[in-house]
Amino acid sequence: YETTNNCLSVHIQISKTKTAMMKDIPTTHVDCAAVFKSGNTQSGVYTLTLPDSTQEVKAFCDMETDGGGWTVIQKRFDGHVDFHRTWQEYKKVSGFGEPSGEYWLGNDFVYKLTNVHSYKLRLQLNDWEGNSGLSQYDQFSLESEEQNYRIHLKGYSGTAGKISSIGQPGSEFSTKDADNDKCVCKCSQLTTGGWWFDACGPSNLNGMYYQQGQNSNRFNGIKWYYWKGSGYSLKSTTMMIRPVDFSSSL
């Protein structure tokens, strides 16, 4: 009887230890879709963990738009964050700015994320007259730093122009100190910001922020050519990604 009691006692102790250990292991999420699936369905800033890594990054999760689960990778709405940054600032996992405000999620993070899973890209744009435009791509990924974070997009649709304002095949990323565009000029220095410039191309959502009344005839503003033309600088932009196979049912 005593032996049985001892065995039972040891078994209970082992169970308790296992439970305690399980509690110590934090739940990690690689993107906002995983956060959504875990039951967190409120939009806000969440901690994400790089795929196959313990490195963490804070990002804004949009849990409402079109079913939610969107990882916001760029957000601009008032111009308080400077987007004319260096290669390293655009590259680093955490990017720059504040996830609760204007920010850029690092190219290295987005590259790693989009190379372990298929993602779609959604762009939400607003002008100064109260109009909103949408551009969506069924497939989106970035190549590695060695390939200068070249962008790959497929399957364009939306209301912000009949054709995509990011040219295909995808361009390499350029910043003020890294010129990877197809122009004899330096597009990033000419039009400001880090972007996938072509020569210099029909878009730059990371250009100079201009306030209302100063936003026309601006070659270096926040440009989405096939919606608003070359000289119009937009009021606000959001770029966000979500797995292609995402379903909003929990």
Side-chain angles (χ1 to χ4, degrees):
Y1 173 76
E2 199 171 302
T3 311
T4 310
N5 215 20
N6 282 346
C7 281
L8 190 62
S9 174
V10 168
H11 180 72
I12 289 166
Q13 284 303 114
I14 289 171
S15 295
K16 280 182 179 173
T17 308
K18 269 187 181 172
T19 308
M21 281 169 69
M22 281 165 76
K23 279 181 184 168
D24 288 343
I25 300 166
T27 307
T28 60
H29 307 293
V30 295
D31 62 11
C32 293
V35 173
F36 186 94
K37 287 295 182 191
S38 74
N40 293 298
T41 56
Q42 293 287 315
S43 293
V45 178
Y46 291 89
T47 300
L48 306 179
T49 307
L50 260 74
D52 305 318
S53 165
T54 54
Q55 194 171 359
E56 293 181 339
V57 60
K58 290 202 180 314
F60 189 88
C61 295
D62 181 330
M63 301 306 201
E64 290 149 31
T65 301
D66 188 33
W70 296 97
T71 305
V72 174
I73 63 172
Q74 185 256 31
K75 191 162 48 161
R76 304 189 74 185
F77 55 87
D78 64 7
H80 77 274
V81 171
D82 177 18
F83 274 68
H84 197 34
R85 303 283 187 126
T86 63
W87 182 266
Q88 285 301 319
E89 287 175 294
Y90 270 99
K91 169 195 169 173
K92 72 176 181 180
V93 165
S94 57
F96 57 83
E98 286 295 326
S100 57
E102 292 194 319
Y103 86 118
W104 179 263
L105 195 54
N107 284 342
D108 231 32
F109 179 77
V110 178
Y111 149 66
K112 283 169 180 161
L113 205 55
T114 59
N115 279 268
V116 295
H117 208 93
S118 292
Y119 282 82
K120 61 167 63 175
L121 170 67
R122 182 183 177 102
L123 301 154
Q124 297 187 165
L125 314 172
N126 291 284
D127 68 12
W128 290 96
E129 288 72 49
N131 303 302
S132 58
L134 169 69
S135 287
Q136 193 156 287
Y137 300 87
D138 295 336
Q139 287 181 34
F140 159 75
S141 65
L142 296 185
E143 290 189 36
S144 68
E145 186 180 16
E146 288 69 41
Q147 279 74 46
N148 296 319
Y149 301 115
R150 181 188 292 276
I151 191 169
H152 289 277
L153 297 166
K154 279 184 185 168
Y156 171 79
S157 62
T159 59
K162 287 189 171 67
I163 59 173
S164 169
S165 287
I166 301 178
Q168 290 300 299
S171 300
E172 295 174 13
F173 199 82
S174 289
T175 56
K176 62 182 179 181
D177 60 342
D179 179 31
N180 300 312
D181 57 52
K182 302 184 185 104
C183 182
V184 289
C185 65
K186 289 180 167 65
C187 296
S188 177
Q189 289 186 17
L190 191 69
T191 67
T192 77
W195 193 249
W196 299 277
F197 298 105
D198 187 21
C200 292
S203 66
N204 177 14
L205 297 186
N206 291 336
M208 189 79 75
Y209 194 94
Y210 287 101
Q211 299 295 336
Q212 188 168 18
Q214 304 174 331
N215 66 297
S216 55
N217 301 316
R218 299 292 185 180
F219 69 91
N220 64 347
I222 302 173
K223 178 171 74 171
W224 198 253
Y225 175 78
Y226 289 110
W227 188 41
K228 288 288 163 180
S230 59
Y232 190 102
S233 187
L234 297 168
K235 180 184 181 181
S236 64
T237 67
T238 304
M239 300 174 64
M240 47 193 181
I241 61 174
R242 186 172 77 180
V244 169
D245 59 4
F246 176 82
S247 159
S248 59
S249 55
L250 289 173

